[in-house]
Amino acid sequence: MTTARGLFVTFEGGEGAGKSTQIRLLAEALRARGHTVLTTREPGGSAGAEALRHVLLSGAAEPFGVRMEALLFAAARADHLDCVIRPALSRGEIVLCDRFVDSSRVYQGVTGNIEPPLMAALERVSIGATMPDVTLVLDLPAAVGLQRARRRAGASTEGATPDRFEKEKLEIHEKRRQGFLDIAAREPERCRVLDASLDVDHIARDILSEVVLVIARQAGSDRDGQAARS
């Protein structure tokens, strides 16, 4: 099953908030209901963006400064949108994306101290009018999230180490947490804040309820539009 216009759902939050787990659970639940679902991530998701993901998360771009990192994130996002997200939405699919433009607003804008006019220009060029229909912010104290992320890295069979952003100081991570909450407060129609310290299944039920509601509203809007045109 597809929706009339597709549905774009993004997941945001700090390190270790459980975004990947919740995306997987939501995708399974929606597919069980008959929906066609695409899961993806940023940076990455397309061939070009995945190449830039390695450069960004490895820290290879860090010596060139936060502005260069912001440019690379924007380039990766533009390729991801053109090659993966927009085509899926045009097919009427539900797209679930691990991070999107709000992460740039927080990581490069809030804690990278990039001036707002530059951030706005990069956003305008990279995404145009393609904003998420709903953004789920998984909120968790930074100290808890970092502990989770480090446990995850330690349990990895690949011997993963903290990436470019995970290794930063606790106060920076807490500032990012507040940055996401500030965005949610400014854009309540798009953003939903969920307590990521709750049981995984509890969070998954809350997320599914939110997304099912958005799907129903979209379906109702489409029906109203068709009736008005007939």
Side-chain angles (χ1 to χ4, degrees):
M1 182 192 305
T2 59
T3 66
R5 293 178 281 113
L7 188 73
F8 187 18
V9 183
T10 57
F11 286 68
E12 298 285 3
E15 312 300 331
K19 297 183 302 300
S20 298
T21 297
Q22 291 302 330
I23 287 173
R24 175 178 57 79
L25 293 173
L26 178 59
E28 291 172 356
L30 291 173
R31 286 169 181 147
R33 290 169 175 250
H35 294 286
T36 303
V37 181
L38 172 73
T39 62
T40 188
R41 67 179 183 177
E42 288 206 348
S46 63
E50 286 292 334
L52 289 173
R53 177 184 178 87
H54 172 72
V55 173
L56 287 161
L57 298 190
S58 69
E62 189 175 2
F64 298 98
V66 67
R67 286 176 178 78
M68 178 58 73
E69 287 185 321
L71 288 168
L72 293 174
F73 272 111
R77 181 163 296 128
D79 189 72
H80 187 204
L81 277 166
D82 286 345
C83 297
V84 176
I85 295 175
R86 289 191 184 111
L89 293 174
S90 71
R91 295 190 297 267
E93 298 177 11
I94 298 176
V95 177
L96 309 181
C97 188
D98 186 343
R99 297 197 182 281
F100 192 61
V101 70
D102 294 309
S103 281
S104 286
R105 292 175 174 181
V106 169
Y107 281 70
Q108 283 77 57
V110 174
T111 57
N113 296 312
I114 292 182
E115 53 272 26
L118 176 55
M119 290 301 300
L122 289 174
E123 188 171 309
R124 185 169 59 252
V125 170
S126 63
I127 72 170
T130 307
M131 280 294 287
D133 295 291
V134 61
T135 295
L136 302 165
V137 179
L138 299 183
D139 179 51
L140 191 68
V144 177
L146 286 174
Q147 288 175 354
R148 288 183 179 181
R150 286 164 183 159
R151 283 199 302 269
R152 179 187 63 206
S156 171
T157 57
E158 299 174 359
T161 57
D163 67 28
R164 154 77 176 87
F165 300 102
E166 289 174 345
K167 69 183 183 181
E168 291 179 317
K169 294 180 180 179
L170 177 61
E171 55 265 33
I172 293 178
H173 288 279
E174 192 60 42
K175 188 174 181 180
R176 287 173 182 153
R177 177 195 184 191
Q178 189 57 54
F180 285 118
L181 293 176
D182 289 344
I183 290 172
R186 290 196 302 270
E187 301 185 46
E189 292 300 313
R190 174 173 67 90
C191 300
R192 312 284 190 274
V193 178
L194 298 112
D195 185 351
S197 68
L198 298 176
D199 174 79
V200 169
D201 291 335
H202 184 142
I203 301 168
R205 287 193 297 272
D206 288 346
I207 287 174
L208 180 61
S209 296
E210 292 283 358
V211 173
V212 167
L213 181 60
V214 173
I215 293 171
R217 285 175 177 168
Q218 186 192 79
S221 176
D222 290 339
R223 285 194 297 270
D224 291 343
Q226 290 171 358
R229 289 191 295 272
S230 61

